[in-house]
Amino acid sequence: MPPRELAHLLDALPDGVVLLDAAGAVEQINAEASRIVGLSREAAAGRPVERLLGPKHAVARLAREVLAGGGTSLESECPVPQRFGSALVVEVAAAPLFGVGGRPDGAVLALRDRTLQQQLSHVVSERERLAAFGRIAAGIAHEVKNPLGGIRGAGELLALRAADDKTREAAALIVREADRIGALVDDLMVFARGDALRLAPVNLHRILDDALDLLAHDPIGARSRVERRFDPSLPEVEADADRLMQVFLNLARNALQAMEEGGTLTIATRMTLGQRLTSASGEPVATVLVELHDTGPGIAADVLDRLGTPFFTTRPGGTGLGLALSQHWIARHHGALRVESVPGDGTRVRVALPLRQTAGRGAA
Ligand SMILES: Nc1ncnc2c1ncn2[C@@H]1O[C@H](COP(=O)(O)OP(=O)(O)OP(=O)(O)O)[C@@H](O)[C@H]1O
Ligand SMILES: [Mg+2]
């Protein structure tokens, strides 16, 4: 087939295709592959495969294995960093090409962008997780609330009839602890109830300012600095102001608590093109991003995996509901909440919210 026709054919494919010659240099690259690797066709042509995404990247590794005589190989979930926005998740397959006489004389790479699928499966598992919390919450409320009322009543009675101080104190402790458990169960019930959001146009900066003002009076933030990097052109979002206030209070409080020895909490807002939310049909929707970055110790990988599970805490005195509730409310807004931690660079919490709440939307 003439090369021009081959190029047309390759461009029509939904997958990225790169043809390499026997030396491992790019002979052909189609439109999708050029989008994924972030290089124009002209810039990519003739480059050794190592100079597409670096010598250590799966693309170069698999290509070299195949060129050295190996068979077809595949690697799923390879991150491909992008100049703008977050990395793509790509499936890379490499296969040998054979010339006249069946001698190997090159390789073909197929690159399949799996980013959207991965994000969608993440959303589904997040939804399932939240639904499971709801079922657990309803079960606990049922099993715990009624006997708790009895325990509290008995404690009050004991306190009234106590003959000595020690018994009175013990009875008061029963009442206090029963109240504490009752409050926890009430918090947990949020997952079970489908409380409606009270939607209105919301100025996110005002909410963030209010949350930070409240925390300014709290000794937890006494040693830390707060930096606001607000995008003044940020439009109002359609949201429930009280719930968002609760979310940002939780997140900012976590950040300040992580920086007991002092540090900087930077809160940035912007409209985003990079980390996008998508509609149920997969279309990107206008999204605002609030990012809280703290210079605390960061979060270990094994802890990171368990974040957002109700009652998971590493803080003495913590209830472990802050993040779970925040995630719940952001999900109810069809948004996304992600926690990232890079060793030595503290913790970054990204909250993405759709500008408008359109019915039937799913977030990615
Ligand atoms: N900014 C942060 N830096 C480091 N660790 C964090 C940060 N935010 C959260 N964590 C970790 O996540 C855990 C869970 O946070 P979460 O807010 O859900 O509960 P908590 O802060 O422990 O208790 P509370 O219910 O009072 O908020 C914390 O115990 C802490 O280990
Ligand atoms: Mg917390």
Side-chain angles (χ1 to χ4, degrees), residues 200-231:
V202 167
N203 179 335
L204 275 182
H205 295 158
R206 193 166 304 149
I207 292 190
L208 291 167
D209 280 335
D210 286 352
L212 293 173
D213 282 350
L214 268 176
L215 289 171
H217 299 290
D218 197 312
I220 54 164
R223 291 176 184 219
S224 297
R225 229 164 49 81
V226 175
E227 206 176 300
R228 290 165 225 225
R229 293 205 192 139
F230 293 171
D231 172 354

Side-chain angles (χ1 to χ4, degrees), residues 144-188:
V144 171
K145 273 294 218 181
N146 288 340
L148 201 61
I151 293 172
R152 191 185 191 285
E156 275 181 326
L157 205 71
L158 265 178
L160 281 176
R161 301 213 178 144
D164 58 287
D165 282 353
K166 217 162 166 192
T167 316
R168 221 184 331 272
E169 269 166 34
L173 184 75
I174 293 173
V175 174
R176 235 181 12 251
E177 289 299 288
D179 284 344
R180 199 174 61 84
I181 297 170
L184 280 181
V185 173
D186 285 342
D187 276 349
L188 201 60

Side-chain angles (χ1 to χ4, degrees), residues 250 254 257 315 322:
N250 272 323
N254 278 354
Q257 278 164 341
R315 273 193 318 107

Side-chain angles (χ1 to χ4, degrees), residues 230-300:
F230 293 171
D231 172 354
S233 68
L234 200 79
E236 291 189 321
V237 296
E238 196 183 349
D240 185 323
D242 292 340
R243 298 311 186 189
L244 290 189
M245 175 75 176
Q246 204 182 341
V247 169
F248 291 118
L249 256 179
N250 272 323
L251 298 178
R253 189 180 284 128
N254 278 354
L256 294 174
Q257 278 164 341
M259 301 189 294
E260 248 176 350
E261 306 301 319
T264 306
L265 165 62
T266 308
I267 304 191
T269 61
R270 63 189 152 95
M271 287 289 288
T272 171
L273 292 173
Q275 185 194 357
R276 286 186 204 166
L277 302 172
T278 49
S279 69
S281 57
E283 298 290 310
V285 298
T287 305
V288 293
L289 194 70
V290 181
E291 191 175 289
L292 295 93
H293 174 247
D294 67 64
T295 57
I299 304 177

Side-chain angles (χ1 to χ4, degrees), residues 184 187 250-259 265 292-300 303-304 306-326 339-341 346-349:
L184 280 181
D187 276 349
N250 272 323
L251 298 178
R253 189 180 284 128
N254 278 354
L256 294 174
Q257 278 164 341
M259 301 189 294
L265 165 62
L292 295 93
H293 174 247
D294 67 64
T295 57
I299 304 177
V303 172
L304 208 52
R306 296 158 73 190
L307 290 188
T309 306
F311 299 121
F312 172 76
T313 179
T314 63
R315 273 193 318 107
T319 60
L321 279 177
L323 271 177
L325 285 174
S326 303
V339 183
E340 283 170 25
S341 176
T347 303
R348 211 174 277 279
V349 182

